[in-house]
Amino acid sequence: IMRKWPEEPWKDRPAKLTVLANAMLDSLALLGGAHIATALDFLLSILFMEGEPGKSIRPLSLTDEVQLHDFVWETLRRYPPATGVPRWITDDKGATWQHQIA
């Protein structure tokens, strides 16, 4: 978040950063459908694969909350379960709109 929007005074307003991070996490968690199963597939595949990138994460302690937290977030970052996000765009001040998947 801080790299995406470096012009924001994140250090002066840590609550704003927390709210935005929570909103992003909620969006991922509430995405639902097949995306949750896909994310779990990625997590389990990496956890048990013999090659890379699974090999380099070991030893991973699943009882260590910090390690587990980092593992989940890094997997979601590297292998996002949803590859496109739809939005509506306009180039004529709202007279017409186009659907775009970014």
Side-chain angles (χ1 to χ4, degrees), residues 2 4 6 9 14-15 20-21 24-25 27 31 40-42 44 51 58 62-63 66 68 74-75 84 87 90 95:
M2 293 170 74
K4 174 81 173 158
L20 184 55
M24 292 179 138
L25 177 60
S27 296
L31 191 60
L40 290 172
D41 282 346
F42 290 146
L44 289 171
R58 288 189 271 291
L62 296 179
T63 58
V66 173
L68 186 58
E74 181 60 16
T75 302
R87 66 181 183 156
T90 181

Side-chain angles (χ1 to χ4, degrees), residues 61-82:
S61 173
L62 296 179
T63 58
D64 182 335
E65 287 186 33
V66 173
Q67 278 190 359
L68 186 58
H69 181 266
D70 290 347
F71 172 60
V72 169
W73 275 110
E74 181 60 16
T75 302
L76 289 173
R77 182 198 68 81
R78 191 166 181 187
Y79 305 103

